[in-house]
């Protein structure tokens, strides 16, 4: 049931995630990067993509370790093109170290983030696990790939870089204005091209799905205020299983919780975000 | 079934939360505060208490609005006593503004935080609600108040400032080394004295319970790495209902999710944290 939704371009340029998030150290505490035009939604870089780029910058500044916890507050949406990343190592610890990073474009701060980094041991097994969320399971093969267009026809370039699939029962609000009303999107993610997800691209994965508001009666654009991600393990190769749930839409905001399991069923990432919704 | 657990001191000094978290502006971008010895666990200030104090400082720096999203990374555990809070208003927006704050003691950064602030309209009703978590409900009256001591007998001073109660079925791991294994603590919070919870003290409430690891086989001390809280509404007077759940304990860390409803059943706060656990 793949490629069910029409609209895939035949000439999409694959831009590997590692290249789209590469950073270059310029001087102490300053890096530069180029925001990709391919990892965008209606021309704007995705928030998780920005978080991943900042995560790479934080690891570069520290010189060791991987991001375990990342918290970002979004001030302004940057355009594709050059950005500067200002950063500071706040503390070097035995287990955990902290780094502050800020993405600046045209002299204005766009994203401010704090990161805690440590060593993710690829061989370490979970010691206790509450188990997979009690939600319906639909396989990668039986899920439906989203076309690189919004419901109103604007281009979602990044859906040509990553195969984003939804459980058919959770996508009624996206393709046909028939939300289930549960505020939940379930599905899968797979990078196109030769790369598999790694701890850096997991920071993108937690924000890769359409807004859960599409599965309620509030289908307008949402804008992320805060995004926090915890990276729990190095993911095994293969697609990621994703469950995104909203709990409450109030006057201004919606929350969204994201859990991600790798192809072996291991919980590899968790995230929450608060986003502004169109006012009532 | 209240006051079931013995050990309450008869001479506890009530220190109102508003006083224990008061801040004083000293100059542009700098405030001072005094960390209370009463809002401590085994002599150390509670992480949520520190977050609330930083939230008050952020609102003071901005001069308007309330904290809607707060993300803190914990570098060092401060002692009761004087601290400085360095802060910067990052952006003043129409709906949302951002502030960075840092708690410093003896010249060393202890907590770094980013906050997004806006206006919580006390009259605004939720527009969509996924409903209360599907977990057992036990009333405030039938829950059991925790004594101000740890399982090994050390003093938890803040349990003399706040009535922390657990559903008897979720407290086996705390009073008798009989965890349910679910990794879930359910119960209630009520400030003692004359104050009710408000949007600032909700930032404390999300970290007020004992670690959920007590409800698993891992009962050692945990240390918060990152804490993110979303304040969704001005709470109604009365006790708060709290559900804290862990999902995964791995080699280094445990996650913990906290949801809080006010006495009218409205979701007023949500939080996640990542904490370091004793190594295996």
């Amino acid at each position: 049931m793949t490629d069910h939704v029409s609209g895939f371009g035949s000439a999409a340029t694959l831009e590997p995630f590692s290249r789209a998030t590469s950073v270059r150290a310029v001087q102490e505490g300053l890096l530069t990067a180029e925001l990709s035009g391919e990892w965008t939604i209606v021309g704007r870089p995705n928030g998780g993509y920005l978080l991943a780029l900042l995560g790479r910058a934080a690891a570069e500044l520290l010189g060791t370790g991987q991001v375990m916890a990342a918290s970002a507050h979004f001030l302004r949406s940057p355009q594709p093109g050059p950005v500067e990343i200002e950063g500071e190592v706040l503390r070097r610890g035995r287990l955990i170290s902290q780094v502050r990073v800020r993405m600046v474009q045209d002299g204005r701060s766009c994203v401010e983030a704090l990161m805690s980094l440590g060593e993710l041991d690829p061989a370490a097994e979970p010691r206790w696990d509450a188990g997979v969320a009690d939600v319906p399971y639909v396989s990668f093969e039986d899920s439906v790939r989203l076309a690189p267009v919004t419901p109103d026809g604007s281009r979602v370039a990044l859906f040509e870089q990553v195969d984003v699939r939804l459980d058919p029962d959770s996508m009624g609000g996206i393709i046909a204005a028939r939300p289930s009303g549960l505020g939940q999107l379930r599905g899968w993610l797979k990078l196109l091209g030769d790369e598999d997800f790694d701890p850096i691209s997991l920071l993108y994965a937690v924000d890769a799905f359409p807004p859960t508001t599409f599965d309620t009666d509030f289908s307008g654009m949402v804008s992320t205020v805060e995004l926090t991600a915890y990276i729990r393990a190095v993911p095994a190769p293969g697609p990621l299983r994703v469950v995104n749930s909203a709990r409450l839409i109030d006057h201004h905001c919606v929350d969204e919780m994201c859990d991600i399991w790798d192809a072996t069923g291991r919980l590899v990432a968790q995230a929450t975000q608060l986003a502004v919704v169109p006012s009532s």
Side-chain angles (χ1 to χ4, degrees), chain A:
Chain A
M1 210 204 261
T2 62
D3 294 357
H4 176 88
V5 180
S6 63
F8 293 98
S10 55
T13 307
L14 279 184
E15 183 175 16
F17 192 81
S18 59
R19 194 171 74 202
T21 55
S22 63
V23 296
R24 196 161 51 91
V26 176
Q27 63 188 61
E28 180 74 19
L30 183 67
L31 304 95
T32 58
E34 185 81 16
L35 299 184
S36 166
E38 300 302 325
W39 288 83
T40 54
I41 301 168
V42 195
R44 293 288 179 169
N46 165 268
Y49 162 75
L50 299 177
L51 188 68
L53 203 156
L54 286 172
R56 200 181 291 285
E60 172 85 17
L61 281 162
L62 188 65
T64 180
Q66 288 139 320
V67 174
M68 298 175 70
S71 328
H73 290 242
F74 293 83
L75 281 63
R76 297 177 185 88
S77 180
Q79 308 255 12
V83 290
E84 295 188 332
I85 298 157
E86 304 168 3
E88 182 190 354
V89 175
L90 301 169
R91 173 178 159 270
R92 290 180 185 273
R94 191 174 54 85
L95 282 177
I96 309 280
S97 300
Q98 289 85 7
V99 177
R100 183 180 59 71
V101 279
R102 163 184 296 183
M103 182 178 290
V104 177
Q105 191 174 60
D106 298 331
R108 302 204 304 174
S109 175
C110 297
V111 189
E112 301 265 345
L114 294 166
M115 311 252 172
S116 288
L117 296 90
E119 294 294 336
L120 291 174
D121 178 357
E125 289 297 315
R127 295 156 71 186
W128 176 87
D129 189 343
V132 173
D134 183 24
V135 299
Y137 175 90
V138 173
S139 71
F140 177 78
E141 289 71 22
D142 289 336
S143 297
V144 180
R145 186 170 168 198
L146 293 180
V149 287
T150 63
D152 67 4
S154 303
R155 183 169 180 238
V156 183
L158 65 79
F159 286 177
E160 291 174 349
Q161 304 297 323
V162 58
D163 183 337
V164 178
R165 295 182 181 213
L166 293 183
D167 169 347
D169 287 339
S170 81
M171 69 187 296
I174 292 169
I175 60 166
R178 282 188 285 103
S180 80
L182 291 176
Q184 185 175 84
L185 298 179
R186 304 176 299 275
W188 298 85
L189 288 177
K190 187 177 186 313
L191 291 176
L192 299 171
D194 297 331
E195 293 186 0
D196 267 304
F197 278 103
D198 64 16
I200 290 285
S201 49
L202 282 177
L203 293 170
Y204 153 69
V206 299
D207 190 41
F209 267 30
T212 48
T213 46
F214 277 114
D215 192 42
T216 71
D217 288 332
F218 300 85
S219 57
M221 286 302 286
V222 306
S223 171
T224 303
V225 172
E226 200 275 349
L227 173 60
T228 290
Y230 301 149
I231 305 304
R232 307 303 302 274
V234 179
L240 301 175
R241 184 180 175 210
V242 181
V243 176
N244 264 24
S245 303
R247 172 67 61 76
L248 182 74
I249 303 176
D250 60 29
H251 189 55
H252 289 312
C253 290
V254 60
D255 61 285
E256 188 170 304
M257 191 169 66
C258 177
D259 288 314
I260 298 188
W261 296 266
D262 71 9
T264 71
R266 178 169 184 161
L267 184 70
V268 292
Q270 302 167 281
T272 56
Q273 64 175 281
L274 190 71
V276 169
V277 294
S279 46
S280 50

